[in-house]
């Protein structure tokens, strides 16, 4: 069923093994659904999966998404009032444009911005270990 996600499944199984946790059918179901997304909230995931497994609770989804973060498959991003889980299993570093009207999220990469950040850090005696760039505004649909 999950052969196209074999790499991610292996990463999760290895992480679970290190922490003496079980690989369950529910975790497999959540991982399969998560890997088809770019960004999703736990609530959105719950509504998607409630039809497939009515016994799957919201708390289980939260715990599992946080487990994906610990395993390096996801990153929790706090956009506005909601936590979106960003599928980073197949992506390198990227930044975000977030619409404050509809919540649309656009990912982008820009070498010039990355270079400028490094220059600013260097001028101030810093070495960047990690960073997040989130730009908030209105998308073209919400502006009109």
């Amino acid at each position: 069923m999950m052969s196209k996600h074999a790499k991610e499944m292996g990463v999760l199984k290895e992480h679970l093994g290190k922490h003496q946790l079980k690989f369950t059918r529910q975790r497999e179901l959540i991982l399969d659904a998560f890997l088809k997304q770019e960004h999703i909230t736990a609530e959105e995931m719950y509504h998607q999966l409630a039809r497939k497994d009515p016994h799957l609770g919201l708390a289980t989804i939260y715990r599992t998404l946080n487990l994906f973060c610990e395993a390096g498959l996801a990153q929790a991003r706090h956009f506005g009032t909601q936590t979106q889980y960003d599928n980073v299993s197949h992506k390198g570093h990227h930044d975000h444009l977030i619409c404050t009207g509809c919540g649309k999220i656009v990912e982008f990469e820009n070498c010039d911005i990355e270079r400028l950040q490094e220059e600013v850090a260097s001028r101030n005696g810093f070495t960047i270990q990690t960073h997040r760039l989130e730009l908030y505004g209105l998308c073209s649909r919400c502006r009109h």
Side-chain angles (χ1 to χ4, degrees):
M1 166 183 149
M2 309 274 280
S3 58
K4 67 178 180 179
H5 301 309
K7 180 181 141 242
E8 293 87 352
M9 195 66 63
V11 168
L12 180 61
K13 285 180 178 177
E14 184 179 329
H15 179 78
L16 293 170
K18 280 182 191 167
H19 296 87
Q20 290 81 46
L21 298 169
K22 291 186 177 119
F23 181 73
T24 64
R25 188 190 59 75
Q26 288 183 323
R27 287 179 175 149
E28 182 177 16
L29 182 69
I30 295 167
L31 182 63
D32 185 48
F34 175 73
L35 292 173
K36 294 174 183 168
Q37 321 284 328
E38 290 299 320
H39 301 93
I40 192 164
T41 65
E43 291 81 6
E44 289 166 342
M45 177 73 72
Y46 174 73
H47 292 299
Q48 273 184 20
L49 295 177
R51 295 181 298 279
K52 290 182 184 174
D53 185 348
H55 303 293
L56 193 59
L58 184 57
T60 299
I61 291 173
Y62 268 108
R63 280 193 304 272
T64 303
L65 290 171
N66 287 323
L67 201 58
F68 296 169
C69 291
E70 293 167 14
L73 296 168
Q75 279 185 339
R77 303 275 192 172
H78 307 286
F79 299 131
T81 58
Q82 288 191 310
T83 300
Q84 296 263 347
Y85 292 87
D86 188 357
N87 177 353
V88 296
S89 63
H90 64 282
K91 302 179 211 172
H93 172 77
H94 60 277
D95 297 307
H96 296 92
L97 294 165
I98 301 111
C99 180
T100 56
C102 67
K104 176 181 178 178
I105 299 169
V106 175
E107 295 180 349
F108 71 94
E109 295 175 30
N110 185 297
C111 297
D112 293 334
I113 290 174
E114 297 300 317
R115 184 181 44 74
L116 288 170
Q117 289 172 143
E118 288 293 339
E119 285 177 17
V120 168
S122 178
R123 272 198 307 267
N124 289 282
F126 276 76
T127 300
I128 297 174
Q129 292 176 318
T130 185
H131 78 277
R132 236 176 242 194
L133 178 62
E134 299 169 0
L135 304 172
Y136 293 85
L138 293 173
C139 68
S140 58
R141 181 178 285 166
C142 290
R143 274 197 325 270
H144 296 98

